[in-house]
Amino acid sequence: MNRSPFHPSTFGSLFAAVCLSLAGCKPADTGGTSKDAGSGTGSGANPGKIRVGEYASLTGSEAAFGQSSHKGTQLAFEEINKSGGVLGRQIEHLVEDTQSKQGESATISKKFISRDKIVALLGEVASGRSLEAAPTCQAAGIPMISPSSTNPKVTEMGDYIFRVCFTDPFQGRLLSEFARKTLKAQRVAILSDTASAYSVGLAKFFKDPFMAGGGQIVLEQKYSSKDKDFKAQLTAIKAVNPDAICVPGYYTEAGLIVAQARQLGILVPIFGGDGWEAPQLIEIAGGKALENTYYSTHYSSENSDPLVQAFVAAFKARFNGETPDAMAALGYDSAKVLIDAIKRAGSTEGPKLRDAIAATKDFPCITGRTTLDASRNASKAAVILTVKDNKFKYVETVSP
Ligand code: PHE
């Protein structure tokens, strides 16, 4: 088991500090009522609602991630509540917006734990923000499940921190194989985001296996989240004439990079990871520029598996015909894994719930059967998508 400085045994003093620092905070904008306050830690004595927190980038540059994951999470809790709840209690789903900003997640997780008495926290999408909140959960002994943070460091934060998605060493390896085998690329340039833990990690996890397999990284260029003009980096990349370009970033910048690359006459394949996943990618880059681009992600709504199709139908019915993306599927999965664990634990107490989540085995998720390993990670298949005629199109599935 992972022993970090944030092991729950240190909880007492840290909790006191958190409470002090929160005195005077105003109530959060939550989806639920506060009548059942204090119901969080009981496992039967108080039949109130079970409070679960969710933190997500509902606004800001990664709003597409947070909005999608939130809808998925919401759908899962609505379904469970309609069917009578869990342990005979309803789920009270509290939501906070990280605004895609650094620094918000730690504050939000502290508020959720000390004021709202949540029993578990779901989130964040982005690895950098999950890394900010994880120490609070670990210190308090409150399980956190990230739907989609793929950077390995996230679950290394401690034994209360889980994810229901694959990790970037797997994603980087599959991108390197895809580049060599499918794209037949030998000489690749990388353009990564130094401000994002996810991007820095994925660049490395792509580069190492790509080079080990005989590939060459001809140039590495950097940018920083929120940059808008990538012409200098792209001009330098054009000068070395790579076979393909790897852009392990988030959709806002990836979309601009693809558009500007094509404007500069760079027509080679451009590819990235799950950070590209958002309908906004097509709005930002345009369908034409996105031809000959590829990205790996967690699921395709085209999957004919009846479980996936039932989810797609339920999501569309609930959200005005919107097709759920990978983030929506993972948000849904994170909530389902939590509910299943509460059931098996027969309790919402932190240590019991932690053990039950850790024991998740072969659980049928939308993104594939989920077993959590000793490092609290899930190993599951990825899919590669491209864009054709202004639409995301399934290319292939890569198993771990
Ligand atoms: N994997 C990304 C991260 O760790 C987040 C992400 C997941 C984005 C799924 C889109 C889809 O930061």
Side-chain angles (χ1 to χ4, degrees), residues 65 125-128 148-151 168 198 250 274-275 277 297-298 326-327 330:
F65 294 162
V125 173
S127 292
S148 57
S149 290
T150 45
N151 188 281
D168 286 333
Y198 161 76
Y250 293 140
D274 56 348
E277 172 90 20
T297 188
H298 306 262
M327 269 316 320
L330 286 168

Side-chain angles (χ1 to χ4, degrees), residues 55-70 97-102 105 124-130 132 148 193 195-199 223-227 249-254 274-280 284 325 327:
Y55 67 123
S57 50
L58 298 173
T59 58
S61 52
E62 282 108 52
F65 294 162
Q67 289 174 10
S68 275
S69 67
H70 174 60
D97 179 10
T98 61
Q99 302 166 56
S100 306
K101 277 193 203 149
Q102 270 181 14
S105 301
E124 228 259 7
V125 173
S127 292
R129 290 190 285 274
S130 289
E132 288 179 21
S148 57
D193 178 354
S196 146
Y198 161 76
S199 190
Y223 65 91
S224 182
S225 313
K226 308 224 160 45
D227 284 355
Y250 293 140
Y251 65 92
T252 302
E253 290 82 15
D274 56 348
W276 282 36
E277 172 90 20
Q280 285 79 348
I284 294 168
D325 62 10
M327 269 316 320

Side-chain angles (χ1 to χ4, degrees), residues 76 79-80 145 163-164 305 307 329-344 356-373 378-380:
E79 285 178 2
I80 186 75
I145 306 177
R163 79 179 104 225
V164 294
D305 180 334
L307 189 72
L330 286 168
Y332 185 85
D333 286 347
S334 66
K336 288 284 190 166
V337 164
L338 175 64
I339 292 160
D340 174 64
I342 294 176
K343 255 187 234 163
R344 281 185 288 104
I357 299 169
T360 298
K361 199 167 174 270
D362 222 19
F363 185 74
C365 281
I366 306 307
T367 54
R369 293 217 159 242
T370 301
T371 297
L372 292 175
D373 64 20
S379 154
K380 37 176 81 166

